[in-house]
Amino acid sequence: MNGIPKSPVTHAFPQIQWDALGSLRLTAQETALLRMAETNPIDYTLSDSRDASMYARVLLKLLAEAHSVGAGTGVVSKLPEKCTDEEAMSALKDDPLGIVSHYALTKLYEIITTLNDGVSGVTITSVFYVGKEGVLVDQWKALLRVLNKGGKGDIFAQKVASLSLAKILLAAFPSQRQKTSTVDKDGNPVRARQVSFASATEPAEALAAWVASQLKNTSGAMVGVCIPSLKALMEAHESRVIFCKSGGIKYISRQLRAGSKTTKTLTTSIDNKKKTQTSVQQLYELVFCLWVLTYELNASYQIRADFAKDGLPISALVDMVSIAPREKVVRVALSSLRNMATCDADNSPQPSGQPRIDDKHFLGEMIACGLMKAVDHLRDRQFTDPDIVEDVKCLHKLLIENYKEMSRWEVYKNEIEAGHLQWGSVHTEAFFKENARMMEGSDGDFRPLKVLIALLSSTDEEISAIACFDIGEFVRHYPNGRAIAKRLGAKELVMPLIEHENPELQRHALQCVSKIMVNNWEYVK
């Protein structure tokens, strides 16, 4: 099915008894149409746009009726990706509506892929958009109902329903319609029919919200359910913007951060090889989607703001470059970072009162997240891909130039705001002797210190250890620093770390508490 695994119950499809399934409320004409479609080649069934549209709507009706009376929660939804013919036939007996759901989705997706490949004079818009205005058929809601089953649901059904809906909606987007041309059976150009983009907007928002919720609430292999439809949404400017409005950039970035930790911890044992391959492929597809979205940076302040939020997207991409799970992942992550490092705010400036977000901002975040170190490592490696070599060279030059323009405090501030602390020259006694007063923040509310205290609770033990050291040095070098650190809750968060199983974190926590409690730290050092 063009990248989508076939239904595990495909073997049972020819044995469906339509007359016995009264709950589907099929008319005699609809039943006859289903049987005729089974006996004719798909190209023949789709050769007339009216017949093709009627067939598609019958399939959507099957889906709606089946799910209204329980399909998607029975035996079929719990079957593995592959099952025996005997298991498929047993499922037909125990869960016939589940079989009908898989049948309808399989045939529906076959229609969409066939029309994409080209059928004379018939298009997705002529099948799924009706009337003089070219409005999306109301039956599309059957696909959304499959997605809104909740929980794990029927993985095959959700994957195919979401991808089918994405393909149907893409056909109405103006940016995509400019690329399509249709010819009749004699090869003559056919004038494109009018299609209502407005009728596809709300469904696209619903689909984007579902994809975002999957990225937000699921993990591991379950994320793979929404990746095909996510990649489809990346094909059009309009759907990319809609997806970003649903918080998509943040949720992709969270998945990448979680995925990078999983990839680091997976061993090279035979048992984990398949899991590692799946994990890396999923990481690649997510990074690819983020890369596509970076091409919207120049045109949208809001998308630049989404990429800048909490430093999460850059941190995730730097992780991909640092752990280098596969060369293809590194290539796309580097290209994404380069797009961010070379974007500008001229075409879509910031609204009044909002900070400017451009290449300088992103380069500062990259430095804070340790990209300079990662790029230095990559420069020592031999890559066969010229794009990687060029991106490494470009990023190295831009990072060095930007670093020279930044003060040491700016480097430190970017690092703590990115939550990506690494031992270096800004985590030393000499640095805090010079910059302790800068911890007051621009508004005098000690925001940098508050962020540092929050980092004590980081799941990364090295970050917690560095935060302990920095807070201790602030206490030593800022007048009344002990009272301020205590008032902001530093002591309560550091105390439990004294008993941490990591000896390095334990040591820095003990020293931090000592600096908070003891006036003359030098005498007990």
Side-chain angles (χ1 to χ4, degrees), residues 18 23-38 45-46 49-67 100-101 103-108 111 127-128 130 137-140 142-143:
W18 299 113
S23 59
L24 297 176
R25 299 192 296 180
L26 293 174
T27 66
Q29 183 184 13
E30 290 167 342
T31 303
L33 182 58
L34 289 171
R35 286 174 175 151
M36 184 177 69
E38 281 298 311
T45 304
L46 303 179
S49 60
R50 284 178 297 180
D51 290 346
S53 183
M54 187 181 299
Y55 179 45
R57 279 184 276 178
V58 170
L59 293 172
L60 287 168
K61 178 182 177 179
L62 283 180
L63 206 55
E65 298 293 346
H67 279 265
V100 167
S101 173
Y103 171 88
L105 286 165
T106 298
K107 297 299 181 182
L108 196 63
I111 290 174
V127 171
F128 293 97
V130 296
V137 294
D138 197 48
Q139 290 91 335
W140 72 268
L143 294 167

Side-chain angles (χ1 to χ4, degrees), residues 348-407:
S348 178
Q350 68 274 21
S352 177
Q354 295 298 316
R356 180 180 175 87
I357 300 173
D358 56 11
D359 54 343
K360 297 293 184 186
H361 177 93
F362 289 126
L363 282 163
E365 285 192 1
M366 291 175 201
I367 291 169
C369 291
L371 183 60
M372 290 179 72
K373 182 179 178 181
V375 166
D376 281 339
H377 285 315
L378 292 178
R379 292 178 76 206
D380 295 331
R381 289 176 55 181
Q382 297 294 319
F383 290 102
T384 56
D385 189 330
D387 289 341
I388 293 182
V389 176
E390 179 59 30
D391 286 343
V392 167
K393 182 179 177 181
C394 176
L395 282 168
H396 180 262
K397 179 175 180 290
L398 292 171
L399 289 166
I400 292 295
E401 289 173 353
N402 201 68
Y403 186 77
K404 288 177 180 177
E405 295 174 7
M406 294 173 70
S407 68

